[in-house]
Amino acid sequence: MMTRFLLSILLLVTTLSFAQTPSPVAPASRWQTDFWKAQWIGHPTAPIRAYGVYHFRKSFELAQKPGRFVINVSGDNRYRLFVNGKAVVAGPARSDLQNWNYETVDIAPYLNAGKNTLAAVVTYQAEYAPFYQMSYQFAFIVQGDGDAEQVVNTNNTWKVYQNPAYSPVINDIPKLRTYIVVGAGDRVAGDKYPWGWEQPGFDDAGWSAAKPVGWPAKPRGLGTDGNWNLVPRTIPLMDEVPQRLATVRRSEGIDVDDDFLQGKNSFTVHRNSKAVILCDQGHLTNAFPELTVSRGKDAVITLAYAEAMVDEKRQKGNRNQVEGKQLIGFEDQFVGDGSKQKRTFRPLLFRTYRYVQITIETKGEPLEVHDLIGHFTGYPFPEKARFSSSDESLKNIWTVGWRTARLCAGETYYDCPYYEQLQYTGDTRIQALISLYVTGDDRLMRKAIQDYDHSRFSDGLTQSRYPSADFQVIPPFSLYWVTMVYDYWMHRKDDKFVESMMPGITSVLDWHEKRLAANGLNGPLEWWNFVDWSKWEAPEEGMGGVPKGARKGGSAILTLQQAYTMQRISQVFYHYGKNQQAEHYRAVGIRLARNVYERCWDAGRGLMADTPDKTSFSQHANIWAILTDAVPAAQQKALMQKVMSDISLTQATFYFKFYLFQALKKTGLADQFLPLLQPWRDMLAMGLTTFAENPEPTRSDCHAWSASPNYEFLSTVCGINPASPGFETVVITPYLGTLQFAEGAMPHPYGEIAVRFDKTPTGGLKGTVTLPDGLTGTLKWKGKTVALKEGQQTVSL
């Protein structure tokens, strides 16, 4: 069963042999401060900004196998580098032109005494590029790190070939009837493909000499022209792990069983025939598929990928069901060249799928299909945290939540992998906390904070998603960027980095403060003031997700988010001695919260209204009212109970429930957290293997903002949170709710924090807390406080 036919955009490489992914090494400091000796190179005649797939080669001699051979490499749009036929590194990490990443790797393990060959495929997608792809023009560069490596510097001694086999397959909004901006698929004509181009023995005599681009390569901050301002990559290389499809769900025109998917047999599609094979991975994944075929001249193989099957109304329903449903999704095509030699095809970009449908239409010759294997790819997050409890069903929520988070993390965080792969601030704040708690790896969070800082434009705001070639602004997301910096400051001691964000923070807060109206609430706001995909009672016309009071002014929700942000970030400014600014932000935050209470509090209903006219009410306004202390502390528990029980309020969707959970903790009501996970249980019952963007019907089946329970299991149920900046002390406030016990552990900069709590028959709490060396804190439970020291300790309350 051609199951993992995920063939996705086929990068066609002959029997591609995979090398073990090398660990990036630190580049020589000279290439971060001096002009590079290598040159950006391209094709001598091809247009520099038109769609094209190009191959580069460089052969050179070495007297002996080196112990170290470090190179710096980059390209525009994307490159993949081979050393003596082995795939070694791909990139560059997504970024913008002012901060264009290059990868630094030691390729010595792949080199030999004698002749060696570097080969690279470079893709330039032009108007077919994904929205996340920023670009200047097609080009490629390799810079040897030391004197011995200068032999491989890119210049006109490299050879280049434009691959005529590729053309784009349009997978756009009109075709799929939804917002999808991840670029084109690939159509590859096998008879035009230069098979074996990456191998040392390939004959490149007919290839052209590469053409150097006419300006020097340079690090960021040098030179007279913008083009690519090179900066070293700050995140690790992506994982690439073999992964096979699980089962064949149905087939037409041929019988294919699951053994094929396990690499145990092959199958043949007869000439002048059509076969359709539906394969099921069993769960959603991001992967590069590799399909190996032979013969089948002019056979057309169409690969379609989907998160779920749909019925005649394009509704997904239960994700496990395929009967009476069809697959409508992103597509690639490969056309066979008829060779008896095995051909392996691989996508230029990864594909996201649970289901893969392979449609094969042969001409005058049968097609033999030998194997199909995928390679999962993503940011190499290790799952260091763990959580267990007396409720075994929570394991599934943890597992599916972590899969969701992983599929939404690569060279940036993604909102969703199938439709956009864009790094949105509102999503990223939640994703980053999940990453910190589950993995301890803060590098992608740090990169995201920098990316948003780089996105700031003349208004002073950050862009809502970045890197992105399509400009978009969501002012509330700029505030979330500010609170991301606060989160980072609370969890990591990195003073220089945090302080470097202060000018950007100031510009964001100034923009919002300048738009306050005379009544002390926000005035009319430009751009897209998205809050949540809720069913707002009076939505702003033409602006999905926007509550009343954004465009015309007077939104309690937006004003209170501004207060929330200022209250938190003022602590950061105080910490770094910027007392005047800190006091200003603290005072404005308090004043905004008071203004909203005075104008929007409905005493009769005991609720905060969305606007001063008090005609609409939402969970959102009341959640912010609690988090900002706009409502007096003595009233907050009662208000929180109304937020959860009053279904007449505009309800928060999965995204904004993150803030609902924070309000539960603040009011001491987080023992009610677990029942609020019913929507996540419902998703599991519907067969989802990742958590969706929205309640049904949903566009995206994988949205990391919906993975917040993974953070809450550790932060709320186990109660582990930083008590001081840099996580230098800890406060543990467990909320077991209906659980008899809960156990969890999470990475900390000093080591591991581990807890185990059991309820006693008399209603008490007992357990153990283990803190790493150098970490102290407090345990709080039902008004009682216990000092915690480093090491393991038994607690009883």
Side-chain angles (χ1 to χ4, degrees):
M1 193 84 285
M2 195 145 291
T3 222
R4 204 170 243 238
F5 230 128
L6 242 220
L7 211 234
S8 204
I9 226 171
L10 321 173
L11 186 226
L12 307 232
V13 287
T14 3
T15 40
L16 220 207
S17 174
F18 272 89
Q20 183 176 357
T21 302
S23 297
V25 297
S29 59
R30 63 187 294 196
W31 308 123
Q32 300 178 49
T33 56
D34 295 338
F35 287 100
W36 289 24
K37 293 183 178 180
Q39 297 173 293
W40 287 98
I41 56 174
H43 192 279
T45 59
I48 61 175
R49 293 189 177 93
Y51 173 92
V53 177
Y54 301 86
H55 303 290
F56 291 93
R57 285 173 58 88
K58 168 73 174 183
S59 294
F60 59 101
E61 298 281 341
L62 292 175
Q64 59 186 14
K65 181 179 176 64
R68 182 182 189 274
F69 200 96
V70 175
I71 60 172
N72 306 286
V73 57
S74 191
D76 188 351
N77 295 165
R78 302 283 302 174
Y79 76 86
R80 190 170 185 233
L81 181 71
F82 297 77
V83 181
N84 291 326
K86 307 287 186 181
V88 171
V89 62
R94 298 179 187 183
S95 55
D96 59 30
L97 289 171
Q98 288 71 44
N99 304 274
W100 196 264
N101 282 298
Y102 63 90
E103 284 69 38
T104 303
V105 292
D106 186 355
I107 62 172
Y110 315 102
L111 297 174
N112 310 304
K115 184 179 179 181
N116 293 272
T117 300
L118 302 188
V121 58
V122 180
T123 307
Y124 194 82
Q125 292 192 297
E127 68 268 34
Y128 307 108
F131 273 17
Y132 64 72
Q133 182 64 63
M134 306 187 82
S135 176
Y136 182 67
Q137 68 171 67
F138 155 62
F140 178 62
I141 192 166
V142 174
Q143 171 64 61
D145 210 48
D147 292 341
E149 295 99 328
Q150 302 299 305
V151 65
V152 299
N153 285 358
T154 43
N155 50 39
N156 61 7
T157 66
W158 280 67
K159 292 191 171 183
V160 63
Y161 176 78
Q162 183 174 10
N163 192 335
Y166 282 91
S167 57
V169 175
I170 306 303
N171 295 285
D172 57 7
I173 295 171
K175 176 181 176 181
L176 298 178
R177 301 184 193 176
T178 191
Y179 187 73
I180 183 167
V181 291
V182 290
D186 286 359
R187 187 177 194 275
V188 179
D191 61 350
K192 297 179 180 179
Y193 194 86
W195 298 102
W197 65 269
E198 78 284 7
Q199 298 297 327
F202 180 81
D203 183 5
D204 59 16
W207 288 22
S208 303
K211 178 183 178 181
V213 173
W215 43 79
K218 58 187 176 51
R220 190 178 190 278
L222 286 183
T224 59
D225 293 89
N227 50 73
W228 306 276
N229 289 282
L230 290 162
V231 296
R233 181 184 182 119
T234 58
I235 58 172
L237 300 177
M238 298 300 99
D239 270 347
E240 194 165 313
V241 181
Q243 184 184 62
R244 288 190 175 273
L245 283 148
T247 187
V248 174
R249 297 297 297 272
R250 69 186 180 208
S251 59
E252 303 169 18
I254 193 171
D255 291 327
V256 180
D257 61 31
D258 294 347
D259 283 349
F260 168 73
L261 298 180
Q262 301 308 311
K264 296 177 180 178
N265 62 28
S266 61
F267 66 90
T268 300
V269 179
H270 298 300
R271 64 189 181 93
N272 298 319
S273 299
K274 180 177 180 179
V276 182
I277 305 148
L278 178 65
C279 309
D280 184 355
Q281 178 70 43
H283 59 79
L284 198 69
T285 191
N286 297 334
F288 291 98
E290 293 182 358
L291 173 73
T292 302
V293 301
S294 63
R295 305 178 67 195
K297 182 171 176 55
D298 298 326
V300 178
I301 306 166
T302 301
L303 300 155
Y305 320 96
E307 294 180 312
M309 306 292 287
V310 297
D311 61 20
E312 68 279 0
K313 295 181 180 180
R314 293 204 176 203
Q315 297 300 303
K316 295 178 179 181
N318 190 294
R319 305 310 196 263
N320 296 323
Q321 296 173 355
V322 302
E323 293 76 16
K325 293 183 177 181
Q326 60 181 324
L327 190 152
I328 300 174
F330 196 99
E331 293 181 349
D332 296 307
Q333 278 191 345
F334 173 70
V335 182
D337 68 339
S339 174
K340 294 181 180 180
Q341 296 183 4
K342 292 180 179 179
R343 305 299 201 195
T344 297
F345 312 95
R346 172 190 167 97
L348 293 167
L349 302 176
F350 74 78
R351 295 290 178 257
T352 299
Y353 57 87
R354 172 177 173 176
Y355 291 99
V356 181
Q357 184 165 280
I358 308 107
T359 302
I360 301 172
E361 297 182 77
T362 58
K363 304 302 183 185
E365 186 178 54
L367 176 75
E368 188 166 358
V369 183
H370 299 279
D371 194 18
L372 177 64
I373 184 170
H375 289 263
F376 165 81
T377 187
Y379 189 95
F381 275 133
E383 186 180 355
K384 293 183 177 180
R386 57 189 182 274
F387 173 78
S388 61
S389 73
S390 54
D391 184 348
E392 287 290 314
S393 70
L394 297 180
K395 285 185 177 180
N396 288 335
I397 296 177
W398 174 276
T399 299
V400 172
W402 181 234
R403 180 183 297 124
T404 304
R406 283 224 66 191
L407 296 185
C408 294
E411 292 169 352
T412 63
Y413 289 107
Y414 313 143
D415 63 325
C416 57
Y418 189 91
Y419 296 94
E420 299 184 52
Q421 294 178 37
L422 289 166
Q423 182 172 248
Y424 286 86
T425 326
D427 310 54
T428 302
R429 185 192 181 198
I430 299 169
Q431 292 171 270
L433 288 170
I434 297 168
S435 299
L436 288 179
Y437 267 63
V438 178
T439 77
D441 187 337
D442 57 34
R443 290 171 291 182
L444 196 61
M445 180 184 191
R446 200 175 189 275
K447 180 181 184 297
I449 291 171
Q450 275 191 315
D451 286 340
Y452 295 129
D453 191 38
H454 296 155
S455 79
R456 286 186 292 119
F457 65 106
S458 57
D459 271 22
L461 295 173
T462 59
Q463 294 179 46
S464 64
R465 56 192 190 186
Y466 204 78
S468 175
D470 186 61
F471 184 82
Q472 185 190 83
V473 180
I474 300 176
F477 278 23
S478 292
L479 294 176
Y480 285 135
W481 171 68
V482 175
T483 50
M484 271 188 72
V485 177
Y486 169 83
D487 293 341
Y488 185 79
W489 172 71
M490 284 299 295
H491 290 83
R492 292 294 183 268
K493 184 170 178 55
D494 193 353
D495 293 337
K496 183 178 180 181
F497 178 78
V498 173
E499 286 189 273
S500 74
M501 297 298 133
M502 287 185 167
I505 290 170
T506 300
S507 70
V508 167
L509 297 182
D510 284 353
W511 186 93
H512 282 86
E513 193 172 347
K514 288 175 181 176
R515 283 156 179 79
L516 293 174
N519 67 354
L521 277 62
N522 72 277
L525 298 176
E526 309 96 309
W527 308 106
W528 181 23
N529 287 277
F530 174 87
V531 168
D532 191 9
W533 288 121
S534 302
K535 297 177 181 178
W536 298 102
E537 289 186 30
E540 295 283 359
E541 184 178 353
M543 293 280 195
V546 179
K548 184 179 178 182
R551 185 177 295 181
K552 295 181 180 179
S555 168
I557 296 170
L558 297 175
T559 305
L560 287 174
Q561 187 189 349
Q562 185 176 347
Y564 171 86
T565 306
M566 287 186 161
Q567 289 171 9
R568 274 150 187 76
I569 207 63
S570 66
Q571 300 172 46
V572 179
F573 279 77
Y574 275 125
H575 182 80
Y576 293 110
K578 298 182 182 295
N579 294 341
Q580 186 173 354
Q581 273 184 284
E583 179 56 27
H584 173 77
Y585 293 142
R586 188 193 69 83
V588 172
I590 292 172
R591 186 172 73 247
L592 292 177
R594 184 176 63 247
N595 292 341
V596 172
Y597 183 76
E598 291 173 353
R599 289 161 177 78
C600 300
W601 179 253
D602 187 316
R605 292 192 63 177
L607 288 167
M608 191 73 77
D610 291 343
T611 54
D613 62 12
K614 302 178 184 177
T615 58
S616 63
F617 296 81
S618 66
Q619 286 188 323
H620 308 73
N622 290 279
I623 289 167
W624 283 134
I626 291 168
L627 293 177
T628 59
D629 291 320
V631 173
Q635 302 177 36
Q636 289 179 14
K637 282 193 176 183
L639 178 58
M640 192 69 225
Q641 295 288 14
K642 286 187 179 181
V643 167
M644 292 187 290
S645 63
D646 190 341
I647 61 173
S648 72
L649 301 178
T650 299
Q651 298 291 295
T653 70
F654 303 147
Y655 163 51
F656 210 84
K657 285 185 187 297
F658 170 81
Y659 295 95
L660 186 153
F661 299 154
Q662 309 320 303
L664 275 178
K665 283 187 283 191
K666 185 175 187 298
T667 54
L669 295 174
D671 279 325
Q672 301 180 44
F673 162 68
L674 292 173
L676 297 178
L677 295 180
Q678 187 57 46
W680 281 264
R681 298 181 187 277
D682 293 342
M683 283 189 275
L684 295 177
M686 287 286 287
L688 276 91
T689 62
T690 49
F691 290 132
E693 178 179 16
N694 282 315
E696 294 289 302
T698 184
R699 174 190 66 147
S700 166
D701 274 6
C702 183
H703 238 73
W705 67 23
S706 298
S708 60
N710 286 60
Y711 169 73
E712 302 301 343
F713 287 144
L714 298 166
S715 175
T716 299
V717 178
C718 293
I720 306 169
N721 290 281
S724 57
F727 218 146
E728 294 191 335
T729 56
V730 64
V731 57
I732 300 178
T733 311
Y735 290 96
L736 271 62
T738 57
L739 299 176
Q740 290 304 305
F741 80 87
E743 185 173 6
M746 62 167 286
H748 180 275
Y750 297 166
E752 181 183 80
I753 300 172
V755 301
R756 162 84 188 215
F757 297 115
D758 293 82
K759 289 181 178 176
T760 67
T762 58
L765 186 77
K766 67 178 182 179
T768 59
V769 176
T770 305
L771 302 183
D773 290 348
L775 183 65
T776 60
T778 55
L779 171 66
K780 296 182 178 181
W781 191 73
K782 293 188 176 181
K784 300 177 182 178
T785 300
V786 173
L788 298 172
K789 59 185 179 181
E790 60 188 32
Q792 182 173 321
Q793 52 231 281
T794 300
V795 296
S796 181
L797 295 168

